[in-house]
Amino acid sequence: MTEYAVRIIQLSYTYPDGTRALEKIDLDVPCGERIAIVGPSGAGKSTLLLHLNGVLQGTGSIKILNQKLEQSGLREVRRQVGLLFQDPNDQLFCPTVYEDVAFGPLNLTVPADEIQRRVDKALSDAGLNKSIRSRSSHHLSLGERRRVSLAAVLAMEPAILGMDEPTSNLDPRNRHHLIEVISGLKATLIIATHDLELVLDVCPRTVLMDQGKIWADGETRKMLADSRLMDAHGLEVPLSLKLGFKSK
Amino acid sequence: MRHNFIDRYAALDSPLHILEPRTKLLAFTALIVGVLSIPATNGFLFFIYAFAIAIMMGFSQVPLNYIVGRALLLLPFILLASLAAPWKGYLGFGVLFVRAILCLILLILLTNTTRFAELLRGMRKLGCPQILAMNLSFLYRYLFVLTEEAMRMKQARDCRRTASAPFKEELKLLSSMLGTLLIRSFERAERMHSAMLSRGYSGDFPVISPRKFSWHDLAFLSVVTLFIVSTFCFTNR
Ligand SMILES: Nc1ncnc2c1ncn2[C@@H]1O[C@H](COP(=O)(O)OP(=O)(O)OP(=O)(O)O)[C@@H](O)[C@H]1O
Ligand SMILES: [Mg+2]
């Protein structure tokens, strides 16, 4: 029997202003799998990710590692699920970078020397050097902020990692570095992104969302090469597939 | 964009900074009570207290002009409050004013020698209800959200405005900006709260390397106690 990291059944969500963002979503993610969520802007990708640790709560049922996601067990779930927000400005709230990255582990009451180790590792995994530690998060460039947010999430060493646009605003070198780091992670990954080359590199399975619904769910290379499907949902077959690169 | 306006110098390492937050909370509270209980006619004692506070300011390494600037910022409020006690005449006004200034400087010293998170922790340890500490911590966190949003909106406006509009138009723009600011910072604060929850926040702000109670604290506490007791004896003689 497969162990599921995430099981979502008939999840619907309407924002308070009446926008219907998710419509009866069904999604199963086995432990250790890496899946991508693609789709046009406004498809509901970010909204779906925010459900993974109970930040938003719609109707339907969500199970995280066989544990039903309920108000009472939220703390436990949040230990397991790390979320990288789409907007790094929302994710950083401490006076210095170091404190921001240490915030998660400190809340998990990790011992002091372990915190030190985790923060160091998270910062270097995110491609940041040590001089950034004492700077204020609010003075950093957008790309730097994104990497600090990533470090802050990695430092929690979550079993399930939801990432919203991890590569946006990154320069090519840091993008490559990030892809390497992501590929090396053991966590179950759910990546919402417009960066289809990243999807090809990292995720064997892809889910296509549009207008709050899932339209396709399957093998990445097959789906992304289907030009009719891609066109119908405002996407584009990635260049490397068109040109026949990346044959593994 | 600067957001650490309460405790900008809290990360220094002066003799005052290394004290445990509880020590400082107790000592500063005692000093404030001391200032408040100086008899109005005793000019000499006011001077002694001012002198003691000046010494602490020196030790704290917080720049003098910063402290003065902060105090000046709040001066109008103090003046207003002092004016609200007119029945006491000039002397009453002066005494009230000096008291307020001394207390204010003490508070500025306290908040600039202690990180806010540590201050809250100290308060919690001294029995302050969690809900109060939490509210204070959010006040502190979201103060800068508000200023940051305001700065961004101002930037956006300045970029799109080429000529200055008539005063009435300006006023209209300003009021609509204030409304938007409120909604935007509210929503932003909401999202940041979810970010905090996502990283295991449960009501207490964790502190990386908490100060420990040491002989420094003991020494400081004894000096302050001695000071207050002796001034007290002095007045009651
Ligand atoms: N706070 C909110 N209040 C009301 N409606 C919202 C809110 N946030 C998002 N929406 C709406 O919900 C829908 C889904 O938004 P979501 O942010 O999940 O899209 P997305 O797939 O992440 O898009 P993008 O690729 O641009 O990030 C959109 O129609 C959006 O306008
Ligand atoms: Mg999104």
Side-chain angles (χ1 to χ4, degrees):
Chain A
M1 203 184 88
T2 31
E3 292 267 343
Y4 287 102
V6 179
R7 298 202 83 167
I8 299 175
I9 300 167
Q10 294 283 299
L11 178 69
S12 299
Y13 183 76
T14 310
Y15 275 103
D17 69 351
T19 313
R20 189 112 178 115
L22 297 179
E23 187 97 50
K24 298 195 175 146
I25 298 283
D26 286 305
L27 182 66
D28 286 341
V29 186
C31 280
E33 200 175 46
R34 296 175 181 163
I35 79 162
I37 303 178
V38 301
S41 261
K45 305 182 294 290
S46 302
T47 311
L48 181 61
L49 282 185
L50 288 175
H51 276 83
L52 290 182
N53 68 355
V55 168
L56 295 179
Q57 294 175 350
T59 57
S61 106
I62 301 179
K63 275 187 178 173
I64 303 290
L65 297 168
N66 271 331
Q67 201 75 24
K68 203 162 166 14
L69 189 62
E70 280 168 332
Q71 196 62 42
S72 57
L74 278 186
R75 276 210 73 179
E76 226 5 79
V77 167
R78 287 182 176 140
R79 278 169 189 263
Q80 315 278 7
V81 185
L83 276 194
L84 180 70
F85 287 33
Q86 184 161 13
D87 184 349
N89 289 320
D90 295 337
Q91 194 140 29
L92 304 174
F93 44 79
C94 292
T96 65
V97 167
Y98 184 84
E99 282 166 285
D100 246 320
V101 178
F103 184 86
L106 275 169
N107 274 321
L108 303 181
T109 53
V110 172
D113 46 341
E114 167 76 6
I115 286 179
Q116 188 74 31
R117 187 193 66 77
R118 280 202 194 184
V119 173
D120 285 343
K121 182 162 186 315
L123 283 175
S124 75
D125 278 353
L128 294 161
N129 57 7
K130 292 208 161 156
S131 63
I132 207 167
R133 292 159 149 247
S134 56
R135 293 188 53 196
S136 160
S137 316
H138 298 268
H139 299 165
L140 301 176
S141 80
L142 199 49
E144 287 168 332
R145 263 180 261 181
R146 180 164 296 285
R147 280 182 278 152
V148 174
S149 307
L150 179 71
V153 176
L154 289 179
M156 296 191 64
E157 301 188 347
I160 301 167
L161 187 50
M163 298 202 251
D164 205 343
E165 297 290 354
T167 50
S168 67
N169 299 104
L170 291 188
D171 58 42
R173 171 154 42 113
N174 278 304
R175 185 174 162 276
H176 279 300
H177 180 78
L178 179 82
I179 292 179
E180 252 167 51
V181 170
I182 293 179
S183 313
L185 292 174
K186 285 198 193 67
T188 306
L189 289 178
I190 302 175
I191 307 177
T193 185
H194 294 290
D195 182 348
L196 298 182
E197 302 289 346
L198 162 80
V199 175
L200 280 173
D201 276 343
V202 179
C203 307
R205 176 179 159 204
T206 299
V207 171
L208 186 124
M209 276 184 81
D210 194 0
Q211 297 178 332
K213 296 191 199 92
I214 290 183
W215 295 80
D217 180 349
E219 204 197 319
T220 298
R221 307 181 133 265
K222 234 191 233 154
M223 189 188 303
L224 297 192
D226 183 344
S227 59
R228 281 227 341 253
L229 184 71
M230 300 300 274
D231 277 348
H233 296 285
L235 301 172
E236 192 171 44
V237 176
L239 209 56
S240 58
L241 276 186
K242 267 192 203 157
L243 300 178
F245 299 156
K246 295 202 180 170
S247 44
K248 270 181 202 166
Chain B
M1 293 183 198
R2 192 178 277 150
H3 62 266
N4 45 347
F5 26 56
I6 302 182
D7 59 352
R8 179 164 333 153
Y9 292 98
L12 297 180
D13 232 0
S14 81
L16 270 187
H17 285 82
I18 60 171
L19 295 172
E20 219 253 1
R22 271 179 296 176
T23 310
K24 274 181 280 188
L25 274 169
L26 287 177
F28 278 78
T29 313
L31 283 171
I32 287 175
V33 172
V35 169
L36 294 179
S37 58
I38 304 174
T41 48
N42 200 329
F44 181 63
L45 252 193
F46 275 111
F47 180 74
I48 293 281
Y49 263 94
F51 188 65
I53 291 172
I55 291 179
M56 291 209 297
M57 271 161 64
F59 271 121
S60 74
Q61 292 172 10
V62 180
L64 184 65
N65 56 10
Y66 173 79
I67 299 182
V68 172
R70 277 295 105 129
L72 280 182
L73 207 66
L74 291 169
L75 201 62
F77 298 100
I78 295 181
L79 276 176
L80 217 66
S82 311
L83 280 176
W87 61 89
K88 285 184 180 152
Y90 286 124
L91 181 70
F93 172 78
V95 167
L96 213 61
F97 181 72
V98 173
R99 274 201 185 128
I101 285 284
L102 288 182
C103 291
L104 188 64
I105 293 181
L106 279 171
L107 283 178
I108 295 173
L109 263 184
L110 175 64
T111 48
N112 276 287
T113 56
T114 322
R115 282 173 175 276
F116 202 77
E118 284 215 72
L119 206 59
L120 289 177
R121 239 169 60 106
M123 286 169 62
R124 290 272 290 128
K125 279 192 181 162
L126 287 173
C128 159
Q130 168 165 17
I131 186 86
L132 183 63
M134 212 156 103
N135 269 306
L136 282 174
S137 86
F138 281 124
L139 185 69
Y140 175 70
R141 294 292 135 188
Y142 294 148
L143 222 48
F144 80 84
V145 176
L146 204 69
T147 47
E148 225 182 62
E149 285 292 344
M151 280 181 187
R152 281 209 197 124
M153 282 174 59
K154 189 176 165 306
Q155 266 177 7
R157 185 200 64 180
D158 290 349
C159 288
R160 274 184 287 176
R161 191 179 58 176
T162 45
S164 64
F167 183 66
K168 220 176 130 194
E169 288 296 309
E170 286 280 293
L171 217 60
K172 237 164 95 185
L173 187 66
L174 190 71
S175 65
S176 77
M177 270 173 72
L178 276 177
T180 317
L181 176 67
L182 203 70
I183 297 177
R184 268 171 62 164
S185 17
F186 180 76
E187 290 190 339
R188 176 120 190 265
E190 194 95 314
R191 290 196 302 270
M192 276 172 55
H193 184 60
S194 23
M196 288 160 68
L197 292 178
S198 303
R199 282 195 269 150
Y201 174 76
S202 58
D204 273 320
F205 256 94
V207 177
I208 291 178
S209 52
R211 311 268 186 204
K212 296 251 161 50
F213 198 85
S214 70
W215 63 269
H216 289 116
D217 297 272
L218 206 62
F220 183 70
L221 273 181
S222 348
V223 171
V224 170
T225 316
L226 207 66
F227 175 77
I228 291 177
V229 168
S230 57
T231 54
F232 200 68
C233 293
F234 177 78
T235 48
N236 286 347
R237 215 176 35 183

